[in-house]
Amino acid sequence: MAQADSKVLVLGALAGVAGISLAVVCYQGFRSRRRRSCPGLSLNHTNEQGPGIMLVDGPGLPGGQAEVLERLEALIKCVSELKDEMKALKNALPTLQDQVMEELRGRDDARRATPLHRTAPARRKRVSGTITGARAGPSGRSSEEAESEGGYITALTDSEEEEASDAEQTDDEAPADRLSVLLERIDRLHHGTDCDKRESLSILLEQREELGHNSEYLWRLTRAYCDVHDVSCTLEEKKTHAETGKKVGEDAVALNPTCAESHQWYAIMCGIMAEYDTVQNKIKNGYIFKDHLDKAIELKPRDPMSYYLLGRWCYAVAQLSWIERKVAAALFGEPPSATVEDALKNFLKVEEIHPGYSKVNYVFLAKCYKDLGQREEARKMCEAACSAKASSKEVNFIAVAY
């Protein structure tokens, strides 16, 4: 673009020089004819300063002609200088574009290195407000004065404003992109080996300070505690991870009550804690387990895992003894209520949403059919469980709180 503008400028200048030169030639021809009748005038073309006019004293030279000749001499000198400048500009044209690009790159590098570049959008807002106020103010100052007073109006070109806008958008998107990459990696590790699950928890704990107020992060941290609980060897280590995971799950639910995964994994941690709590807390966690599973299903009704967990809860409640029901009623006023039919319904819902979801789901389907006296159906479910391949969707960590 700069090279094209320069060519247009050169062509215009050359056209002007050609016109002036033609006028000079015509005038010189005219003066040569007049010189025969006016011997006091001669043109000097050998002056060191370039082509010029030399006046020779002689009789009969009018004063008006002398003044015209002086102006013509000055004009010829200007034309000569202009020719030299055009020649220099023509020689510089091949490298002009490279020089302009080099200068712009240097200017961009210097601008990025300064703090002002990072606050360009804020500067434009301040300048816009200053100019609007200056135009609408009672002092009646012009927009040029307002621009000068703003101080920043000429600091950014159109391209610089676009770059600043792109940089601002990139800064906004960058944290979201980093979080997305992190969460995808954590999800892959969740389905990996025992070492992968421990690594997942370590990575999440490193980001706790920065991402501790993000619900997507918190429910995954709860899940990581659950995974590490399953692969831990000692009872003390298991209990520690279960307690910590339950607290994190509670924070996740409080932060975002509309996140189905937060409710789901908090319920799971309550079920796990049943292994280590007193009888009273065990029953209490059972109620919490059921409430949060119902909420998770309400928020995400097509998640087979929630129906599987609810089926486990219903089956555990259906197996409670008369004494256990009386204890629950004495502590909380109303005993939990669920039947084997309720459990079967939820396990069948899992198979409806996701056929072959889990080998363990087939096992509990077989148990329900057996308890209901449907031995043929129970046998089919046992065969399906034997033929099913183990997958990452196996859910063996639930110890329902009854």
Side-chain angles (χ1 to χ4, degrees):
M1 184 67 181
Q3 187 174 4
D5 292 341
S6 300
K7 288 182 178 179
V8 173
L9 175 62
V10 171
L11 292 175
L14 290 177
V17 170
I20 295 173
S21 300
L22 181 61
V24 170
V25 170
C26 293
Y27 188 78
Q28 286 178 344
F30 171 75
R31 291 309 304 161
S32 64
R33 291 193 298 271
R34 291 293 303 272
R35 187 173 53 184
R36 299 189 184 95
S37 61
C38 187
L41 172 65
S42 64
L43 293 177
N44 179 16
H45 297 279
T46 60
N47 195 313
E48 295 179 356
Q49 300 297 328
I53 297 177
M54 182 178 67
L55 294 178
V56 181
D57 294 336
L61 182 64
Q65 289 183 0
E67 182 180 356
V68 171
L69 290 175
E70 288 176 0
R71 294 184 180 181
L72 183 58
E73 181 181 13
L75 178 60
I76 293 174
K77 287 181 180 180
C78 291
V79 170
S80 177
E81 293 174 358
L82 185 57
K83 285 181 178 180
D84 294 338
E85 292 178 0
M86 291 301 103
K87 183 177 180 181
L89 181 58
K90 184 178 179 181
N91 293 334
L93 277 178
T95 61
L96 181 60
Q97 184 176 5
D98 295 337
Q99 293 176 358
V100 172
M101 294 300 295
E102 185 67 26
E103 182 178 355
L104 288 177
R105 279 195 294 268
R107 210 175 274 177
D108 290 342
D109 293 340
R111 180 168 53 82
R112 291 192 182 99
T114 61
L116 291 175
H117 174 67
R118 293 190 292 270
T119 59
R123 285 213 311 271
R124 290 201 300 275
K125 292 179 182 178
R126 292 201 303 270
V127 172
S128 176
T130 302
I131 295 173
T132 304
R135 288 176 177 170
S139 59
R141 287 176 295 179
S142 65
S143 61
E144 290 78 10
E145 292 174 347
E147 292 175 359
S148 176
E149 184 180 17
Y152 295 108
I153 190 64
T154 59
L156 296 174
T157 63
D158 292 340
S159 61
E160 289 172 339
E161 289 183 358
E162 292 175 359
E163 291 177 2
S165 177
D166 293 341
E168 183 182 14
Q169 185 176 1
T170 302
D171 291 341
D172 293 340
E173 295 176 354
D177 292 339
R178 289 196 297 270
L179 177 62
S180 177
V181 170
L182 172 66
L183 297 183
E184 288 178 1
R185 181 185 179 189
I186 295 301
D187 291 340
R188 288 194 300 270
L189 292 174
H190 167 64
H191 298 294
T193 63
D194 293 352
C195 292
D196 291 337
K197 293 176 180 179
R198 291 184 183 276
E199 181 184 356
S200 172
L201 179 60
S202 298
I203 294 173
L204 288 170
L205 289 177
E206 290 175 0
Q207 305 294 326
R208 182 69 184 271
E209 183 176 355
E210 180 181 354
L211 302 176
H213 297 289
N214 185 291
S215 61
E216 293 292 323
Y217 164 85
L218 284 177
W219 75 255
R220 283 176 171 84
L221 181 58
T222 307
R223 183 182 66 183
Y225 275 114
C226 179
D227 290 340
V228 176
H229 165 274
D230 294 341
V231 301
S232 297
C233 299
T234 66
L235 182 63
E236 188 64 28
E237 186 180 5
K238 284 178 173 288
K239 184 177 180 181
T240 300
H241 289 311
E243 291 175 345
T244 308
K246 183 184 176 184
K247 291 177 182 177
V248 175
E250 188 175 359
D251 293 340
V253 171
L255 180 64
N256 185 6
T258 62
C259 178
E261 289 80 4
S262 296
H263 288 281
Q264 185 183 83
W265 286 98
Y266 178 55
I268 291 171
M269 295 309 299
C270 289
I272 291 176
M273 279 301 299
E275 298 180 21
Y276 314 104
D277 271 339
T278 62
V279 175
Q280 182 176 352
N281 287 335
K282 180 179 179 180
I283 297 175
K284 178 181 179 182
N285 284 330
Y287 284 100
I288 297 175
F289 182 92
K290 174 66 164 54
D291 291 341
H292 285 279
L293 271 185
D294 289 342
K295 187 64 176 179
I297 291 174
E298 177 186 341
L299 294 170
K300 197 173 181 179
R302 300 297 294 176
D303 188 348
M305 184 176 179
S306 295
Y307 288 101
Y308 168 79
L309 296 174
L310 186 57
R312 290 286 300 269
W313 184 90
C314 291
Y315 188 84
V317 170
Q319 303 302 316
L320 288 178
S321 65
W322 179 83
I323 296 177
E324 290 172 326
R325 293 179 184 276
K326 289 297 182 180
V327 170
L331 292 174
F332 297 98
E334 182 181 354
S337 176
T339 63
V340 175
E341 287 83 356
D342 295 332
L344 178 62
K345 178 181 177 182
N346 285 289
F347 292 132
L348 289 175
K349 185 68 175 180
V350 173
E351 191 64 16
E352 174 190 334
I353 296 173
H354 194 300
Y357 173 77
S358 169
K359 179 181 290 190
V360 182
N361 192 63
Y362 285 129
V363 172
F364 275 92
L365 278 170
K367 287 184 176 183
C368 290
Y369 281 127
K370 178 179 176 295
D371 292 345
L372 295 173
Q374 302 180 29
R375 294 185 175 276
E376 183 62 25
E377 294 295 331
R379 185 182 62 81
K380 291 180 181 179
M381 292 300 105
C382 287
E383 292 175 353
C386 292
S387 60
K389 294 181 180 180
S391 68
S392 59
K393 295 185 179 67
E394 299 293 351
V395 187
N396 298 317
F397 45 76
I398 305 303
V400 181
Y402 290 110

mmCIF file of all heavy atoms in Angstrom, residues 10 15 23 44 81 131 149 163 229 235 251 256 266 294 306 319 354 358 367:
data_model
loop_
_atom_site.group_PDB
_atom_site.id
_atom_site.type_symbol
_atom_site.label_atom_id
_atom_site.label_comp_id
_atom_site.label_asym_id
_atom_site.label_seq_id
_atom_site.Cartn_x
_atom_site.Cartn_y
_atom_site.Cartn_z
ATOM 1 N N VAL A 10 5.037 10.098 -7.131
ATOM 2 C CA VAL A 10 6.124 10.333 -8.094
ATOM 3 C C VAL A 10 5.572 10.696 -9.451
ATOM 4 O O VAL A 10 6.031 11.637 -10.101
ATOM 5 C CB VAL A 10 7.015 9.075 -8.178
ATOM 6 C CG1 VAL A 10 7.993 9.204 -9.320
ATOM 7 C CG2 VAL A 10 7.776 8.883 -6.889
ATOM 8 N N ALA A 15 4.698 14.705 -13.642
ATOM 9 C CA ALA A 15 3.798 15.414 -14.556
ATOM 10 C C ALA A 15 3.907 16.920 -14.348
ATOM 11 O O ALA A 15 3.944 17.708 -15.295
ATOM 12 C CB ALA A 15 2.362 14.949 -14.341
ATOM 13 N N ALA A 23 6.880 24.952 -20.122
ATOM 14 C CA ALA A 23 6.683 26.408 -20.062
ATOM 15 C C ALA A 23 8.010 27.146 -20.154
ATOM 16 O O ALA A 23 8.144 28.186 -20.818
ATOM 17 C CB ALA A 23 5.966 26.772 -18.774
ATOM 18 N N ASN A 44 22.304 32.523 -19.106
ATOM 19 C CA ASN A 44 23.520 31.831 -18.707
ATOM 20 C C ASN A 44 23.162 30.421 -18.265
ATOM 21 O O ASN A 44 22.437 30.240 -17.297
ATOM 22 C CB ASN A 44 24.184 32.583 -17.541
ATOM 23 C CG ASN A 44 25.438 31.893 -17.057
ATOM 24 O OD1 ASN A 44 25.978 31.044 -17.753
ATOM 25 N ND2 ASN A 44 25.878 32.260 -15.859
ATOM 26 N N GLU A 81 15.993 21.540 -8.673
ATOM 27 C CA GLU A 81 16.037 20.836 -7.388
ATOM 28 C C GLU A 81 14.975 19.748 -7.312
ATOM 29 O O GLU A 81 15.205 18.661 -6.766
ATOM 30 C CB GLU A 81 15.841 21.847 -6.257
ATOM 31 C CG GLU A 81 16.979 22.843 -6.110
ATOM 32 C CD GLU A 81 16.676 23.922 -5.079
ATOM 33 O OE1 GLU A 81 15.547 23.885 -4.531
ATOM 34 O OE2 GLU A 81 17.540 24.776 -4.834
ATOM 35 N N ILE A 131 -13.492 13.098 25.002
ATOM 36 C CA ILE A 131 -13.896 13.822 23.793
ATOM 37 C C ILE A 131 -15.371 14.150 23.830
ATOM 38 O O ILE A 131 -15.798 15.251 23.485
ATOM 39 C CB ILE A 131 -13.567 12.980 22.553
ATOM 40 C CG1 ILE A 131 -12.062 12.826 22.452
ATOM 41 C CG2 ILE A 131 -14.107 13.619 21.297
ATOM 42 C CD1 ILE A 131 -11.636 11.883 21.352
ATOM 43 N N GLU A 149 -6.428 17.651 24.459
ATOM 44 C CA GLU A 149 -6.471 17.571 25.907
ATOM 45 C C GLU A 149 -6.510 16.122 26.381
ATOM 46 O O GLU A 149 -5.932 15.769 27.400
ATOM 47 C CB GLU A 149 -7.706 18.319 26.408
ATOM 48 C CG GLU A 149 -7.796 18.367 27.932
ATOM 49 C CD GLU A 149 -9.028 19.123 28.386
ATOM 50 O OE1 GLU A 149 -9.938 19.305 27.574
ATOM 51 O OE2 GLU A 149 -9.055 19.536 29.554
ATOM 52 N N GLU A 163 -5.359 -4.799 17.068
ATOM 53 C CA GLU A 163 -4.458 -5.685 17.798
ATOM 54 C C GLU A 163 -4.772 -5.666 19.288
ATOM 55 O O GLU A 163 -4.756 -6.702 19.955
ATOM 56 C CB GLU A 163 -3.007 -5.272 17.565
ATOM 57 C CG GLU A 163 -2.536 -5.527 16.132
ATOM 58 C CD GLU A 163 -1.121 -5.034 15.936
ATOM 59 O OE1 GLU A 163 -0.519 -4.538 16.911
ATOM 60 O OE2 GLU A 163 -0.616 -5.151 14.808
ATOM 61 N N HIS A 229 -9.397 -42.904 47.329
ATOM 62 C CA HIS A 229 -9.902 -43.731 48.437
ATOM 63 C C HIS A 229 -9.957 -45.201 48.037
ATOM 64 O O HIS A 229 -9.572 -46.094 48.789
ATOM 65 C CB HIS A 229 -11.290 -43.234 48.846
ATOM 66 C CG HIS A 229 -12.051 -44.205 49.708
ATOM 67 N ND1 HIS A 229 -12.829 -45.224 49.167
ATOM 68 C CD2 HIS A 229 -12.143 -44.340 51.062
ATOM 69 C CE1 HIS A 229 -13.367 -45.931 50.143
ATOM 70 N NE2 HIS A 229 -12.975 -45.412 51.312
ATOM 71 N N LEU A 235 -6.519 -48.447 56.135
ATOM 72 C CA LEU A 235 -7.821 -47.946 56.575
ATOM 73 C C LEU A 235 -7.749 -46.466 56.917
ATOM 74 O O LEU A 235 -8.682 -45.698 56.611
ATOM 75 C CB LEU A 235 -8.299 -48.754 57.783
ATOM 76 C CG LEU A 235 -9.685 -48.386 58.331
ATOM 77 C CD1 LEU A 235 -10.756 -48.653 57.291
ATOM 78 C CD2 LEU A 235 -9.972 -49.151 59.622
ATOM 79 N N ASP A 251 -18.736 -28.292 49.606
ATOM 80 C CA ASP A 251 -18.407 -26.964 49.072
ATOM 81 C C ASP A 251 -18.873 -26.826 47.623
ATOM 82 O O ASP A 251 -19.357 -25.761 47.215
ATOM 83 C CB ASP A 251 -16.896 -26.730 49.150
ATOM 84 C CG ASP A 251 -16.398 -26.620 50.583
ATOM 85 O OD1 ASP A 251 -17.220 -26.341 51.479
ATOM 86 O OD2 ASP A 251 -15.186 -26.830 50.808
ATOM 87 N N ASN A 256 -22.454 -24.198 43.618
ATOM 88 C CA ASN A 256 -23.336 -24.236 42.449
ATOM 89 C C ASN A 256 -24.402 -25.316 42.649
ATOM 90 O O ASN A 256 -24.216 -26.476 42.267
ATOM 91 C CB ASN A 256 -22.531 -24.524 41.185
ATOM 92 C CG ASN A 256 -23.389 -24.461 39.935
ATOM 93 O OD1 ASN A 256 -24.566 -24.100 39.981
ATOM 94 N ND2 ASN A 256 -22.804 -24.812 38.791
ATOM 95 N N TYR A 266 -21.173 -35.700 45.691
ATOM 96 C CA TYR A 266 -21.329 -35.483 47.130
ATOM 97 C C TYR A 266 -22.123 -36.639 47.746
ATOM 98 O O TYR A 266 -21.793 -37.128 48.832
ATOM 99 C CB TYR A 266 -22.034 -34.156 47.387
ATOM 100 C CG TYR A 266 -22.287 -33.879 48.852
ATOM 101 C CD1 TYR A 266 -21.248 -33.900 49.785
ATOM 102 C CD2 TYR A 266 -23.574 -33.599 49.306
ATOM 103 C CE1 TYR A 266 -21.483 -33.652 51.127
ATOM 104 C CE2 TYR A 266 -23.821 -33.334 50.648
ATOM 105 C CZ TYR A 266 -22.765 -33.366 51.548
ATOM 106 O OH TYR A 266 -22.993 -33.123 52.889
ATOM 107 N N ASP A 294 -31.674 -37.570 44.259
ATOM 108 C CA ASP A 294 -32.914 -37.068 43.654
ATOM 109 C C ASP A 294 -32.673 -35.740 42.935
ATOM 110 O O ASP A 294 -33.196 -35.508 41.832
ATOM 111 C CB ASP A 294 -33.989 -36.896 44.724
ATOM 112 C CG ASP A 294 -34.501 -38.232 45.245
ATOM 113 O OD1 ASP A 294 -34.291 -39.253 44.559
ATOM 114 O OD2 ASP A 294 -35.096 -38.253 46.345
ATOM 115 N N SER A 306 -26.652 -42.048 38.050
ATOM 116 C CA SER A 306 -27.521 -41.624 39.154
ATOM 117 C C SER A 306 -28.606 -42.660 39.424
ATOM 118 O O SER A 306 -28.934 -42.948 40.587
ATOM 119 C CB SER A 306 -28.154 -40.263 38.836
ATOM 120 O OG SER A 306 -27.168 -39.249 38.767
ATOM 121 N N GLN A 319 -33.432 -54.182 52.312
ATOM 122 C CA GLN A 319 -32.838 -55.285 53.069
ATOM 123 C C GLN A 319 -32.700 -54.970 54.565
ATOM 124 O O GLN A 319 -32.183 -55.805 55.324
ATOM 125 C CB GLN A 319 -31.447 -55.597 52.502
ATOM 126 C CG GLN A 319 -31.432 -55.939 51.022
ATOM 127 C CD GLN A 319 -32.305 -57.139 50.687
ATOM 128 O OE1 GLN A 319 -32.287 -58.156 51.391
ATOM 129 N NE2 GLN A 319 -33.099 -57.002 49.631
ATOM 130 N N HIS A 354 -28.661 -46.705 28.945
ATOM 131 C CA HIS A 354 -27.354 -47.105 28.428
ATOM 132 C C HIS A 354 -27.226 -48.626 28.505
ATOM 133 O O HIS A 354 -26.743 -49.155 29.504
ATOM 134 C CB HIS A 354 -26.243 -46.431 29.241
ATOM 135 C CG HIS A 354 -24.892 -46.518 28.595
ATOM 136 N ND1 HIS A 354 -24.271 -47.708 28.314
ATOM 137 C CD2 HIS A 354 -24.021 -45.548 28.184
ATOM 138 C CE1 HIS A 354 -23.095 -47.484 27.771
ATOM 139 N NE2 HIS A 354 -22.922 -46.171 27.679
ATOM 140 N N SER A 358 -22.991 -51.381 32.863
ATOM 141 C CA SER A 358 -22.072 -51.891 33.876
ATOM 142 C C SER A 358 -22.365 -53.361 34.173
ATOM 143 O O SER A 358 -23.527 -53.790 34.222
ATOM 144 C CB SER A 358 -22.211 -51.067 35.166
ATOM 145 O OG SER A 358 -21.528 -51.680 36.231
ATOM 146 N N LYS A 367 -30.014 -60.050 41.383
ATOM 147 C CA LYS A 367 -30.410 -60.134 42.790
ATOM 148 C C LYS A 367 -31.876 -59.753 42.971
ATOM 149 O O LYS A 367 -32.625 -60.416 43.719
ATOM 150 C CB LYS A 367 -29.535 -59.216 43.630
ATOM 151 C CG LYS A 367 -28.112 -59.711 43.830
ATOM 152 C CD LYS A 367 -27.356 -58.774 44.760
ATOM 153 C CE LYS A 367 -25.954 -59.304 45.039
ATOM 154 N NZ LYS A 367 -25.233 -58.440 46.010
#
